[in-house]
Amino acid sequence: MPSIRVLLCLIFIFLVHGSFAWLNNQSQDAGTDVPSGKLMSLSFAPFREGFSPLEEKFPLPEHIDEDLRLLADKTESIRTYSSLGGQQPTPALARKHGLKMIQGAWLGYGYKDNSNEVNALIKSANENPDVVKRVIVGNEVLLRGDMDVDRLIGYIREVKKAVKQPVSYADVWSMYMKYPKLINEVDFITIHILPYWEDEPISVENASQHLEKIVKQVEDEARGIAPGKPILIGESGWPSAGRQRGMAIPGVVNEAKFIRGMIQVANRHGFDYNIVEAFNQPWKSELEGVVGANWGLFSADREPVFPLTGPVNETPNWPIRFAVATLIWLLAIARYSKKLEQASLIRVLAFFTLAQVFSVCLVTLADFLWYTSYSAWQRLYTVALVIANTILGALLLERGSDILIDKPGSIKLANSLRAGYLIFILLALYKTYGLAMNGRYLSFPIEQFAIPAFGVIGLIACLWLKERKFNGRVLAFDSLIGGNLQSRRDRFLAYLLSFGAIALILGEVKAFMDGRDFIQAHPGFSEGLPFALSYTLYNQQLLGWLVCLLMLSLPFWTQHRSKQDA
């Protein structure tokens, strides 16, 4: 085939890919700019990678100093959650950088730990009245079930007697509705409103209205107990990465939209707010997965996730991703261009397209998994997945090129493809049943299985171009890999993948229907089921994962044995 035709295919695919990447990565309007680019208050937990309160590896004073220097031009105040655990230097360093504090005491099960925290809070508040302007005794203690409300009130009263600053307790808004006597005990009502985590998740487009609705409910409740008591939204924010919940979609642009919209609501109603949080928290990934670790204005590496003013780009490094994907694609083309020189133009175009899709999937996988890896084990998993996808992609390209030049299938290649797919299918089953059983914090692993899924589609397309007909042979796994290796027992894999898909849907529905606020809003199975189903089936990530499972199972539903090689 003349080289000019190969060049034309290359130019065509390059322009299509480049145009799509450019159009899909335009900066977006994220709403009204933050006034002066500065926030009222930010949750501050200075835990970097390798530090964790769970392992009692606490931040160093120099870390706190560096972080507060970074935050000084972003916020007027910070909210801390503990007065111990390495955070004792925070008030002095906040003073150094011109920041005020809402200081907290972390309460839990242990009486001794609670006593130490309360004493440290009292000491800090009394020694730093110019910095510590408000104090919060306990954070979501009632939500976690760590203590009853009367014991909590005892700690609140103890602190109120000992400090001059206003005292509060922080929890999700529904806890103040459940325990209205708390309203009398605190000097200001601190509520957490996190639309993403609501039992009925709220879309970012409706989040501002939801905030106004909840604040009004709390105001109405407080009006009958303590009229005019101030309200602080102690936590409100949006994740920049992680799993979708119903209509609540994590993302950089959505995080910016939510925060800017929330500030507009706060300005209209005149109440205080604190945004969760300043920095992404690597340690939270162990408990809350990708989504729990990605609520910060800054990444774990202390790089801004998005600007507080101006348009916002979901993937600001897309030109680098485009360049790397194009380089990988060109290397693949260089490997196979001579082999395909006698193929028709449409076959060459199909192969080049498949190679481009694989390169984009590989770069997306590597970039996303590495960004959301926060430990040696997580990075090891990332490297293993990238290597496995690279090897499988290379095998798929080899098989695709054989089909397109009508070369008989290779048993060695077929065995390698079969082994590769079995490994990915076993991993997919593990991921799927994990999501079905307890998927609240687990991400849908679409990026990890994009190459195996697109590989099935690509080989089907190659066989169709070869045979010009669409039948069971084109879909069968032994035809796709080029060897009669398919066993009747392989149908069992299709059953497991299909049952996993069903279990995933049922698990997601059940998770919604078990929510306390969901049950209150929709009592009864028949009333709640339609809402839970709608939230489940709206989930684009869940649907994307179901498509991956369908693609992985499709070849195993069709068993077509043939003496003729594919």
Side-chain angles (χ1 to χ4, degrees):
M1 184 177 65
S3 59
I4 187 65
R5 297 172 67 185
V6 173
L7 184 60
L8 288 174
C9 288
L10 287 171
I11 293 173
F12 174 74
I13 294 175
F14 177 82
L15 290 176
V16 170
H17 179 205
S19 299
F20 179 80
W22 181 77
L23 290 171
N24 197 48
N25 289 285
Q26 291 293 295
S27 295
Q28 301 178 46
D29 178 22
T32 305
D33 290 350
V34 175
S36 303
K38 211 164 187 180
L39 302 167
M40 185 176 289
S41 182
L42 278 172
S43 291
F44 176 62
F47 291 93
R48 304 189 179 196
E49 186 176 326
F51 294 81
S52 169
L54 303 176
E55 299 174 8
E56 296 189 352
K57 294 180 179 179
F58 299 119
L60 304 176
E62 53 264 35
H63 293 168
I64 299 173
D65 189 21
E66 292 169 5
D67 287 348
L68 294 181
R69 182 185 302 115
L70 194 60
L71 295 180
D73 65 344
K74 299 293 183 184
T75 183
E76 304 287 348
S77 175
I78 58 170
R79 176 190 169 188
T80 61
Y81 291 79
S82 173
S83 293
L84 296 174
Q87 297 196 57
Q88 293 90 327
T90 305
L93 293 172
R95 180 184 296 111
K96 172 183 174 182
H97 295 290
L99 291 164
K100 304 304 180 184
M101 285 182 63
I102 306 170
Q103 188 165 358
W106 185 264
L107 303 183
Y109 286 110
Y111 282 90
K112 183 178 179 181
D113 291 339
N114 291 342
S115 179
N116 290 338
E117 277 281 349
V118 167
N119 289 336
L121 173 63
I122 292 171
K123 182 175 184 292
S124 178
N126 288 333
E127 290 180 354
N128 302 281
D130 60 319
V131 174
V132 180
K133 295 301 182 182
R134 288 180 282 189
V135 299
I136 293 179
V137 183
N139 183 74
E140 298 187 350
V141 175
L142 299 177
L143 179 66
R144 296 193 305 272
D146 286 356
M147 66 177 66
D148 60 48
V149 66
D150 292 324
R151 183 178 161 202
L152 171 63
I153 288 173
Y155 286 120
I156 293 172
R157 289 176 177 175
E158 179 182 350
V159 174
K160 285 181 72 174
K161 290 177 182 178
V163 303
K164 296 180 179 179
Q165 292 92 335
V167 178
S168 185
Y169 163 70
D171 211 324
V172 295
W173 62 272
S174 57
M175 286 296 108
Y176 269 96
M177 309 298 281
K178 185 177 181 180
Y179 302 105
K181 62 181 178 179
L182 275 173
I183 296 173
N184 258 334
E185 301 294 335
V186 297
D187 296 316
F188 60 99
I189 303 166
T190 304
I191 54 174
H192 297 172
I193 308 176
L194 300 164
Y196 170 87
W197 281 125
E198 293 285 3
D199 285 350
E200 294 187 74
I202 310 297
S203 69
V204 73
E205 290 78 14
N206 295 320
S208 294
Q209 298 93 306
H210 178 72
L211 284 168
E212 291 182 294
K213 172 187 170 186
I214 297 305
V215 170
K216 187 176 186 307
Q217 280 185 243
V218 175
E219 285 177 337
D220 290 344
E221 182 72 23
R223 190 173 292 117
I225 301 171
K229 186 157 288 191
I231 292 176
L232 166 68
I233 298 182
E235 280 188 4
S236 200
W238 198 271
S240 61
R243 65 119 64 205
Q244 180 177 347
R245 296 188 69 245
M247 299 177 184
I249 305 173
V252 173
V253 174
N254 281 351
E255 183 181 8
K257 284 181 177 178
F258 175 82
I259 289 176
R260 295 187 191 184
M262 187 204 74
I263 292 171
Q264 295 302 307
V265 172
N267 289 340
R268 283 198 301 270
H269 291 268
F271 51 72
D272 293 345
Y273 66 84
N274 173 78
I275 292 170
V276 60
E277 56 194 325
F279 301 102
N280 285 349
Q281 297 291 293
W283 66 274
K284 287 186 178 180
S285 66
E286 297 295 332
L287 295 175
E288 301 176 7
V290 171
V291 72
N294 285 275
W295 289 70
L297 267 69
F298 291 87
S299 71
D301 296 325
R302 276 42 187 173
E303 295 294 328
V305 175
F306 63 90
L308 295 174
T309 59
V312 177
N313 195 307
E314 186 70 39
T315 313
N317 69 335
W318 74 266
I320 298 175
R321 288 170 53 163
F322 172 74
V324 174
T326 300
L327 177 61
I328 295 172
W329 173 61
L330 290 175
L331 291 173
I333 296 307
R335 165 73 173 78
Y336 291 100
S337 58
K338 187 173 181 180
K339 183 178 181 179
L340 294 164
E341 63 183 4
Q342 299 301 320
S344 66
L345 179 63
I346 187 66
R347 293 191 179 194
V348 173
L349 191 61
F351 181 83
F352 285 7
T353 301
L354 185 61
Q356 182 68 289
V357 169
F358 285 175
S359 69
V360 172
C361 290
L362 187 63
V363 171
T364 301
L365 165 69
D367 183 57
F368 178 76
L369 273 193
W370 191 262
Y371 179 79
T372 56
S373 294
Y374 305 105
S375 67
W377 284 111
Q378 290 174 354
R379 290 197 176 93
L380 183 62
Y381 176 80
T382 294
V383 171
L385 255 292
V386 171
I387 292 173
N389 273 273
T390 301
I391 293 172
L392 183 63
L395 294 172
L396 288 165
L397 289 178
E398 186 70 29
R399 175 57 183 157
S401 65
D402 286 350
I403 295 172
L404 293 171
I405 64 171
D406 300 317
K407 179 182 176 180
S410 161
I411 294 299
K412 181 179 179 182
L413 178 58
N415 278 320
S416 298
L417 279 169
R418 177 179 174 81
Y421 266 96
L422 288 179
I423 291 171
F424 272 97
I425 285 171
L426 290 175
L427 183 59
L429 289 171
Y430 171 77
K431 297 280 188 181
T432 300
Y433 284 97
L435 283 162
M437 298 299 294
N438 186 20
R440 179 176 175 85
Y441 299 114
L442 300 178
S443 299
F444 296 99
I446 299 169
E447 299 88 355
Q448 301 173 38
F449 293 84
I451 286 179
F454 278 117
V456 172
I457 298 171
L459 292 185
I460 290 173
C462 290
L463 279 176
W464 179 82
L465 284 173
K466 174 185 175 182
E467 302 192 1
R468 293 292 178 176
K469 56 184 177 182
F470 196 78
N471 52 29
R473 173 178 170 74
V474 172
L475 298 177
F477 188 63
D478 56 353
S479 296
L480 294 179
I481 65 175
N484 294 323
L485 305 175
Q486 196 166 357
S487 165
R488 289 185 180 276
R489 288 174 297 180
D490 288 349
R491 182 68 65 86
F492 185 59
L493 294 173
Y495 285 126
L496 287 177
L497 288 167
S498 300
F499 290 152
I502 295 170
L504 176 58
I505 294 173
L506 294 177
E508 194 81 355
V509 169
K510 182 178 184 300
F512 283 120
M513 296 189 71
D514 286 345
R516 180 183 61 249
D517 295 336
F518 184 95
I519 293 172
Q520 186 175 350
H522 311 288
F525 179 83
S526 58
E527 183 177 340
L529 181 61
F531 289 94
L533 269 174
S534 67
Y535 295 139
T536 298
L537 298 179
Y538 184 87
N539 191 321
Q540 300 162 26
Q541 293 179 358
L542 183 147
L543 295 179
W545 180 236
L546 292 179
V547 170
C548 285
L549 295 178
L550 173 63
M551 289 299 102
L552 290 175
S553 66
L554 182 61
F556 296 99
W557 283 114
T558 307
Q559 291 185 326
H560 183 89
R561 306 301 296 271
S562 174
K563 293 181 181 179
Q564 181 183 358
D565 236 335

